[in-house]
Amino acid sequence: MKIQNKITGAVRPCALKLAGAVLLSCSLLVFDHAAANATSISGDSLTILRMRENTRDDQLFPLYEYLNLSASDTGSQGTISVQLGGWGRIDLGDRSSQRRSDGDIQYGFLSYRANKNNLQFNAGRQWIVEGVATERLDGLYLRTDLAAGFTAATFVGTPVTTDPNFEGGELMYGGRIAHTLPKYYSIGLSALRNESDAEGLREEEGVDVWLHPIPQLDISGRSSYNSLSNGWAEHAYTLSVTPMDALRLSASMQRISYRDYFYHVTTSALSLTNGILDPNEELWNVGGSVGFMPTKNINVALEYNRYEYEIAGNADYYGVTASFTTPTALTAGASFHRMDGDTGPLRYNQYRAWATQKFGPADLTLDFFDVDFDSSITGRTNTYSLAAAAGYNFNRSLRVAADVDYQRSTDFDNELRGLVKLSYAFGFGKEGQ
Amino acid sequence: MKKISLMVLMGAMLSFLYACANTNSIARVHPEEVTGLPRCAECHTDNWTALNHQAQDFYLKHKFYAAQQRAACSTCHKESFCVDCHAHKEEIKPNDKYKERPELNLPHRGDYLSRHRIDGRINPASCVKCHGRENNERCKTCHR
């Protein structure tokens, strides 16, 4: 087996520059057009001030700003829009850190969606989800319906990496072809290739299914094959049966081959090259759940999961969750889960209780979470957190909220954290949430 | 020359198939405002009935639905909704950002920083979808 070593060196984001240039020039065109015939311009701002301590007892006051903007113009043939979102942070307390400020453009793309054939074209930084591809790319994306129930999607670009010392490849491209009979099924074939200097870093093919031959039955899942390591990376399938509105039965199966699934993962905690994950490991996860809604307000779910490892040993995870919701005022719930593993740290009980009550424009939330280990973790067998949050809606657009979070964990005896946030939505026209 | 001919032929064939499709696109914005966790079957009778957000297995299955027909998600959810969790570079856990929404199935509740070394071994493949395959700065703080 060949495990890719981490490749260091300067990133050559040719596709990034190309996509950026396309996005910028098209954005100017759209805004020019929007100014004359705009149907929707909207955005939301989320300003967050966190208060916490680090392990050296330094007081940290990071201030974040999350900003999302959307402008769209709908014509007789379709809608053209620009979507942009990102965040920035500055530390108000710790002035010693070299990384006192940071930020990221999470997405920024120009999009065209036609009224016919589900034709969509995106250019820019975007989240691609098509069959085997679950990638953030700086690039281009095209999707459309074809004749006789077929659909096609394709994408090309540069993978977005968050650290310039690690390459995620210079070029990624792929696509998906599917056939759909809306009442019964959708079956897709997909592939992607990620390369650097024409050398393949990732090469995956897959099949995905969504079967619902009768309304009460829903089967979905996918399998992906790694062509570079010549092995199946993942099989993941779920089956849901809804014999009546109030009852839902579900079964799931997942099989992961670490050697094939984590091939060329450069995220340090998940890389096969740093000794944390054993490339020979294989995971089987099978489970099931029963969801019961005796009334519209009450939801009870029983679940069971079994994790089987070739090397690390097995674990069972099972429990029950119950929740109660009224349409306008109260949401409350409680859960108990048991993790029963082969090793000490993997044997614990997990308890949770939460409630949110609305009082007109105000709301109050309490959330308690407790983990009771069978054996001590760094000298402690019980860890818990208690969070209290309160919010006030001045109107549909402006909201202020604050929360405090007390934790007693394996790392902290008493940790108190706070957060204050101001959210503001603006614009006109109709958009999603 | 052979490659160009093949590409031209494929382009012509795809154009023909596109022209013959003649389907109506999924609405870009849901015509009715939806609040809370919707049960799509309350209004829909077609395949969208499967998208019951209150179902106990919806969180597990949403990746399959999104990978097949993301336009359906986009009728209600903006891009920023996905990015709240699926962000390679993010410093605030979703459940810290939305403490007032405890009913949402947001992972990493409580003190996950100390618990992740235990839970992480349960199914590390589940980390990839949000934390990314490419190097994540938060992970690198400790896992160098």
Side-chain angles (χ1 to χ4, degrees):
Chain A
M1 191 216 38
K2 179 187 171 191
I3 297 172
Q4 294 290 334
N5 290 320
K6 292 169 185 169
I7 301 167
T8 58
V11 179
R12 283 175 283 171
C14 51
L16 171 66
K17 286 176 183 169
L18 174 67
V22 170
L23 178 63
L24 183 63
S25 53
C26 292
S27 300
L28 291 172
L29 285 172
V30 172
F31 279 118
D32 181 52
H33 183 53
N37 188 29
T39 54
S40 172
I41 295 177
S42 64
D44 56 81
S45 160
L46 179 62
T47 307
I48 297 176
L49 176 64
R50 301 174 82 189
M51 291 151 277
R52 49 198 278 263
E53 276 184 355
N54 64 13
T55 50
R56 301 188 303 272
D57 292 339
D58 298 324
Q59 299 289 324
L60 303 177
F61 298 98
L63 178 69
Y64 292 85
E65 171 62 25
Y66 288 79
L67 189 62
N68 298 296
L69 298 169
S70 172
S72 63
D73 185 62
T74 302
S76 58
Q77 299 297 312
T79 301
I80 191 162
S81 65
V82 173
Q83 317 278 337
L84 184 66
W87 60 269
R89 183 255 297 154
I90 184 165
D91 287 328
L92 302 181
D94 181 15
R95 294 172 187 276
S96 61
S97 170
Q98 292 179 336
R99 302 293 300 275
R100 195 174 161 236
S101 62
D102 205 349
D104 188 38
I105 298 293
Q106 293 174 304
Y107 61 93
F109 60 93
L110 172 80
S111 180
Y112 175 73
R113 282 184 67 173
N115 295 337
K116 284 284 183 186
N117 298 349
N118 286 302
L119 173 69
Q120 181 167 359
F121 173 72
N122 296 344
R125 176 166 294 188
Q126 58 197 295
W127 176 238
I128 304 286
V129 186
E130 283 289 348
V132 291
T134 310
E135 314 292 333
R136 188 164 299 284
L137 286 187
D138 292 320
L140 308 173
Y141 168 80
L142 177 67
R143 184 215 183 276
T144 183
D145 290 348
L146 301 173
F150 284 95
T151 63
T154 184
F155 55 87
V156 61
T158 302
V160 177
T161 55
T162 61
D163 190 313
N165 293 326
F166 291 93
E167 281 197 358
E170 292 172 341
L171 182 66
M172 178 177 285
Y173 53 91
R176 176 173 176 269
I177 291 178
H179 190 264
T180 302
L181 267 182
K183 275 189 173 178
Y184 303 107
Y185 71 85
S186 182
I187 296 177
L189 297 172
S190 58
L192 75 82
R193 179 176 164 84
N194 182 14
E195 62 185 39
S196 183
D197 289 331
E199 182 194 359
L201 304 178
R202 288 172 62 200
E203 203 172 285
E204 296 167 21
E205 298 83 35
V207 57
D208 56 85
V209 297
W210 181 10
L211 313 174
H212 37 89
I214 55 173
Q216 293 81 10
L217 181 64
D218 188 78
I219 300 169
S220 54
R222 68 165 164 251
S223 294
S224 60
Y225 185 81
N226 187 332
S227 291
L228 296 180
S229 60
N230 292 317
W232 287 99
E234 178 186 27
H235 299 290
Y237 293 88
T238 65
L239 177 151
S240 303
V241 182
T242 314
M244 59 183 86
D245 280 351
L247 184 66
R248 187 178 177 94
L249 310 171
S250 179
S252 64
M253 181 281 285
Q254 185 183 33
R255 181 252 181 201
I256 301 282
S257 163
Y258 282 24
R259 181 192 308 274
D260 307 299
Y261 189 92
F262 295 104
Y263 191 88
H264 195 73
V265 171
T266 62
T267 294
S268 51
L270 302 172
S271 170
L272 295 178
T273 58
N274 62 7
I276 295 177
L277 300 182
D278 188 327
N280 296 312
E281 185 63 281
E282 191 176 303
L283 161 69
W284 279 92
N285 172 210
V286 292
S289 62
V290 179
F292 182 52
M293 291 185 77
T295 71
K296 202 175 174 182
N297 307 113
I298 296 173
N299 203 335
V300 180
L302 300 166
E303 65 172 308
Y304 170 76
N305 267 291
R306 177 163 180 81
Y307 299 88
E308 289 198 357
Y309 285 88
E310 284 290 313
I311 297 168
N314 304 326
D316 295 298
Y317 183 76
Y318 48 88
V320 58
T321 302
S323 62
F324 175 78
T325 306
T326 62
T328 53
L330 175 69
T331 300
S335 69
F336 165 76
H337 287 87
R338 168 73 184 169
M339 177 67 82
D340 217 352
D342 281 353
T343 58
L346 263 181
R347 282 200 287 272
Y348 58 82
N349 294 331
Q350 185 177 294
Y351 307 90
R352 185 169 173 239
W354 73 90
T356 295
Q357 175 72 49
K358 289 182 180 171
F359 307 95
D363 53 80
L364 179 66
T365 299
L366 294 172
D367 195 349
F368 176 69
F369 189 88
D370 182 282
V371 180
D372 197 32
F373 293 97
D374 287 10
S375 55
S376 72
I377 309 291
T378 59
R380 181 157 291 155
T381 56
N382 187 267
T383 69
Y384 61 88
S385 70
L386 177 63
Y392 187 88
N393 298 301
F394 289 96
N395 50 50
R396 280 175 65 91
S397 301
L398 182 63
R399 175 180 166 83
V400 174
D403 65 67
V404 289
D405 188 358
Y406 174 80
Q407 295 189 356
R408 184 178 162 89
S409 67
T410 55
D411 292 332
F412 292 91
D413 287 335
N414 298 291
E415 186 187 18
L416 193 63
R417 301 188 301 186
L419 185 151
V420 179
K421 65 181 181 183
L422 174 73
S423 58
Y424 179 62
F426 52 91
F428 59 89
K430 202 170 181 183
E431 290 288 340
Q433 53 184 295
Chain B
M1 189 65 190
K2 209 174 180 180
K3 260 187 181 176
I4 293 172
S5 305
L6 191 65
M7 286 175 73
V8 169
L9 186 66
M10 277 187 67
M13 194 175 75
L14 286 173
S15 301
F16 175 74
L17 289 172
Y18 172 77
C20 294
N22 201 30
T23 56
N24 287 322
S25 295
I26 294 170
R28 201 179 78 86
V29 179
H30 198 279
E32 299 289 332
E33 187 179 6
V34 178
T35 56
L37 295 174
R39 298 173 69 193
C40 301
E42 286 180 355
C43 296
H44 291 267
T45 54
D46 51 15
N47 51 321
W48 305 129
T49 57
L51 307 183
N52 177 3
H53 291 49
Q54 294 178 18
Q56 81 277 5
D57 57 353
F58 182 76
Y59 177 74
L60 180 69
K61 298 177 79 166
H62 82 285
K63 61 186 175 188
F64 302 127
Y65 298 138
Q68 289 213 336
Q69 189 55 279
R70 194 170 167 214
C73 310
S74 302
T75 58
C76 292
H77 298 296
K78 284 186 192 173
E79 192 75 12
S80 55
F81 182 86
C82 306
V83 166
D84 271 337
C85 295
H86 297 280
H88 296 183
K89 187 173 178 177
E90 174 60 84
E91 297 185 352
I92 307 179
K93 293 187 298 178
N95 62 6
D96 277 345
K97 217 190 274 186
Y98 301 106
K99 279 259 170 29
E100 68 273 37
R101 300 289 307 276
E103 77 280 11
L104 295 180
N105 201 346
L106 299 173
H108 307 346
R109 294 200 182 274
D111 172 40
Y112 200 75
L113 185 63
S114 52
R115 213 169 67 250
H116 85 286
R117 57 184 171 237
I118 300 164
D119 279 4
R121 67 168 293 247
I122 283 299
N123 187 2
S126 65
C127 309
V128 171
K129 295 295 185 286
C130 292
H131 294 282
R133 300 182 69 89
E134 312 310 340
N135 194 53
N136 183 294
E137 289 185 25
R138 294 280 288 170
C139 301
K140 205 181 130 201
T141 307
C142 300
H143 301 280
R144 292 178 183 278

